[in-house]
Amino acid sequence: MSNFQVTSNDISTIAAQARKAQSEWALLSYGQRAKHIKKIGPYLGRHVDELVETVHKDNGKLKYDILSTEILSAVMSLSYYISNGKKFMRSTGIGLGCILMFNKISRMVYKPFGVIGIITPWNFPLAIPFSEVVMALLAGNAVILKTASNTVNVGRALAAIFEAADLPKGLFNYVEIKGEEAGRAFIDGGVDKIFFTGSAKTGKELAALAAPRLLPLVLELGGADAAVICADANLDKAAKGIIWAGFSSAGQICGGIQRVLVYKSVYEKFLKKLSILVEKLRVGDDLDSDVGPLVNERQKQKFKEQIDACISGGAKIAAKSQGGDLNDQTLFAPALVLTDVKNSMPVMTEEIFGPVVAVIPVDDAACAISIANDSPYGLSGSVWSANHTRAKKIALQINAGSVMINDHLMSYALAETPWGGFGDSGIGRTHGKIGFQEMLKAQVVVDDILPFSKRSLVWQPYSKKLYKGVRAIVSFLSGPSLFNRIAAVPGVMGIFFRYWKK
Ligand code: NAP
């Protein structure tokens, strides 16, 4: 048994200790907190290959996928949040909304929540928890982190990473606890907010558990992304981009491409280009492989069932990678391009965690948008076109938390762009200014600055005169014409001096 394994009962003790450490941590200046977090950079730099190896062993991802989508994004997020967190936490003045309230000055202030619970999945076991823990700590919170049970070695590597920051005892806590117990343990244990990344099913269960406490949650859930290929797109680039976003990490990515919607006029040409590239993909496990294995037998079986359901419904395999067999005992599956799909097939209705894209011809933008939005998910999407104005117009109509033009998925790695979805893809945001501020409670402080005032305009004692005066203010503010506004002035003046009356 490792030191990290805990039971549900332990979580409340850990949370209480974390709260104690947090109360001191939050008193430090941002610079003092950042000084600790900065120590992580050199540690990461010294342990890159070791971290790649650990993720590879835990979930089988190709080493290049790990380096480019986990380690690189972790390093980018570290420097971004260290540099920008102070700005995101700074209290800001709020401009006057109405002249009537000339005596009030308002400010927004941001405070740490206290103890943040973070629960993350196996498919990005390093990058997802890493950036969330960094944001939480810089914002002045304590953290309890639970990673997926099949990637505990990455969890332990994260514990070592944050140990390098020389944090106060009890501030950062990595725990190993079964998923089905973690939600209730975190909620009953007293965390102040939960950041959950995982399936929509678990996210909904967690939200229901959190409801009685009205515990705030950020939920980063599944996706079944669409890519729209316009007639004027650079088809060679689009085909390469679809392959990367559809098949990297063997298609086990929340924001991976599943549905490719291609204008009819270029459908055949695009399909040919895509197929040629897919047939060259090498499925394997070394540095020269393009598509790695699935995470476990259960995932391979599920992928096979989803593909079988599509094929038995009439879908055709238009292209298949080299290597990978759905029916053998290995974890390798072929990268597939499906055509002739129907709306009812799993590739159109469910999230598929495996290397497959369906290519569908569409008449025009309206048709593409309608199919793209015909999904319970709304995580990310893309539009491929040489005309950026047209692409942006289409992008705005796609119901997804982020839409990229002539690229897909990579916005997750941009620490500055908020990430999150609509519908079953979740609530709240991670990354960027909005994501950082999810780690903070927003508070408004309103100050009365009128010298010698004895009361507010609207406080007791009430009277006919006060009613008429406030009525005049309403007429003044909503007056349909300048004449009405001027006519209301005497009434307004009639109560104006109440501020100073005893
Ligand atoms: P999952 O079953 O929901 O598990 C995710 C995490 O939640 C794991 O740590 C798991 O722990 C834990 N968990 C399981 N049941 C729980 C419960 N009742 N209460 C609290 N925590 C619980 O998801 P998955 O299948 O591992 O991960 C893949 C899913 O994550 C996909 O749907 C994918 O799209 C989504 N995802 C979304 C994003 C995003 O940014 N939107 C990013 C990556 C992945 P155990 O491992 O111990 O069960």
Side-chain angles (χ1 to χ4, degrees):
M1 178 162 163
S2 90
N3 290 341
F4 301 115
Q5 284 169 348
V6 298
T7 63
S8 296
N9 292 338
D10 298 326
I11 297 290
S12 53
T13 311
I14 293 169
Q17 285 163 356
R19 190 172 305 289
K20 200 158 166 266
Q22 187 270 335
S23 62
E24 305 273 317
W25 177 247
L27 293 178
L28 298 182
S29 69
Y30 182 85
Q32 286 169 315
R33 291 199 295 270
K35 212 168 160 185
H36 283 274
I37 305 300
K38 275 181 190 162
K39 295 181 186 176
I40 292 171
Y43 179 92
L44 281 181
R46 286 195 304 274
H47 293 83
V48 174
D49 298 318
E50 202 178 309
L51 289 167
V52 168
E53 199 61 48
T54 306
V55 178
H56 179 67
K57 275 194 186 138
D58 265 9
N59 70 5
K61 254 181 166 177
L62 289 181
K63 290 183 183 173
Y64 179 72
D65 282 338
I66 299 164
L67 184 67
S68 60
T69 64
E70 300 242 31
I71 313 276
L72 183 60
S73 67
V75 173
M76 293 199 308
S77 74
L78 181 67
S79 60
Y80 177 76
Y81 295 123
I82 288 173
S83 310
N84 291 284
K86 186 175 181 181
K87 193 169 65 195
F88 299 155
M89 294 189 72
R90 191 172 292 148
S91 83
T92 47
I94 301 174
L96 191 61
C98 172
I99 186 69
L100 178 70
M101 296 294 163
F102 68 96
N103 55 329
K104 304 290 181 190
I105 288 206
S106 310
R107 289 194 80 72
M108 272 320 285
V109 294
Y110 296 95
K111 298 167 161 188
F113 268 93
V115 182
I116 300 283
I118 299 176
I119 301 177
T120 53
W122 52 266
N123 69 329
F124 278 85
L126 191 117
I128 291 174
F130 179 82
S131 63
E132 290 187 345
V133 173
V134 165
M135 283 189 277
L137 293 173
L138 283 171
N141 296 289
V143 171
I144 306 179
L145 167 68
K146 179 226 163 351
T147 59
S149 295
N150 54 340
T151 54
V152 286
N153 292 310
V154 185
R156 290 171 197 180
L158 282 160
I161 290 173
F162 287 101
E163 206 178 312
D166 200 12
L167 298 167
K169 197 171 173 319
L171 190 74
F172 169 77
N173 305 273
Y174 163 69
V175 296
E176 290 172 8
I177 179 170
K178 279 189 199 144
E180 64 254 31
E181 292 170 21
R184 184 161 290 290
F186 274 37
I187 292 162
D188 294 348
V191 302
D192 299 298
K193 184 163 185 176
I194 292 183
F195 283 70
F196 170 80
T197 308
S199 63
K201 181 177 168 287
T202 312
K204 287 177 187 180
E205 284 167 14
L206 199 57
L209 278 181
R213 256 192 71 194
L214 292 182
L215 187 80
L217 295 142
V218 165
L219 300 175
E220 303 293 345
L221 311 177
D225 286 7
V228 177
I229 315 282
C230 299
D232 63 351
N234 176 337
L235 298 183
D236 289 306
K237 181 176 174 187
K240 289 177 198 154
I242 300 301
I243 284 177
W244 178 72
F247 303 136
S248 61
S249 297
Q252 303 168 110
I253 303 186
C254 53
I257 295 177
Q258 211 168 291
R259 301 168 295 146
V260 187
L261 313 171
V262 189
Y263 279 42
K264 270 185 181 151
S265 58
V266 292
Y267 175 78
E268 291 300 338
K269 205 169 160 193
F270 174 77
L271 184 62
K272 196 165 173 201
K273 285 179 187 287
L274 182 71
S275 300
I276 290 170
L277 292 177
V278 169
E279 279 157 11
K280 285 186 189 157
L281 289 175
R282 300 152 301 174
V283 175
D285 197 19
D286 56 29
L287 287 176
D288 291 319
S289 304
D290 304 306
V291 180
L294 293 172
V295 66
N296 54 31
E297 280 156 23
R298 189 159 41 95
Q299 191 51 43
K300 180 154 177 193
Q301 183 57 28
K302 185 164 185 210
F303 180 59
K304 177 179 154 36
E305 284 164 14
Q306 288 170 312
I307 297 301
D308 285 349
C310 294
I311 304 288
S312 62
K316 295 199 173 62
I317 295 176
K320 199 175 183 173
S321 60
Q322 298 171 25
D325 185 342
L326 281 179
N327 298 305
D328 71 10
Q329 300 300 308
T330 72
L331 296 180
F332 296 106
L336 300 171
V337 176
L338 297 184
T339 56
D340 300 88
V341 298
K342 298 191 184 80
N343 286 345
S344 56
M345 292 178 179
V347 74
M348 301 300 279
T349 58
E350 298 171 14
E351 177 180 47
I352 296 195
F353 246 39
V356 64
V357 294
V359 185
I360 302 134
V362 293
D363 292 327
D364 50 24
C367 178
I369 291 160
S370 146
I371 299 175
N373 291 344
D374 186 16
S375 167
Y377 295 107
L379 188 55
S380 67
S382 59
V383 184
W384 301 75
S385 168
N387 182 331
H388 289 258
T389 309
R390 177 188 303 139
K392 279 182 206 152
K393 213 169 148 189
I394 297 172
L396 287 174
Q397 295 174 77
I398 293 179
N399 189 38
S402 58
V403 185
M404 278 139 270
I405 292 164
N406 295 328
D407 209 333
H408 197 105
L409 177 68
M410 49 70 62
S411 88
Y412 183 84
L414 301 179
E416 64 272 29
T417 55
W419 176 261
F422 301 149
D424 276 4
S425 290
I427 50 176
R429 292 291 178 269
T430 185
H431 296 187
K433 181 180 176 182
I434 305 178
F436 194 98
Q437 289 182 337
E438 291 271 16
M439 297 289 175
L440 297 160
K441 290 189 280 196
Q443 183 179 46
V444 170
V445 178
V446 182
D447 190 6
D448 188 303
I449 53 153
L450 195 62
F452 313 114
S453 76
K454 305 223 166 19
R455 72 177 70 243
S456 159
L457 209 58
V458 295
W459 293 354
Q460 289 94 342
Y462 298 163
S463 66
K464 266 189 202 134
K465 189 179 173 194
L466 181 63
Y467 185 91
K468 275 189 185 164
V470 175
R471 179 73 185 75
I473 290 170
V474 172
S475 299
F476 180 82
L477 294 176
S478 61
S481 67
L482 186 61
F483 177 78
N484 286 68
R485 285 174 185 241
I486 293 169
V489 169
V492 176
M493 294 313 292
I495 60 163
F496 181 71
F497 294 101
R498 281 190 109 234
Y499 281 119
W500 294 277
K501 268 195 181 164
K502 273 195 177 166

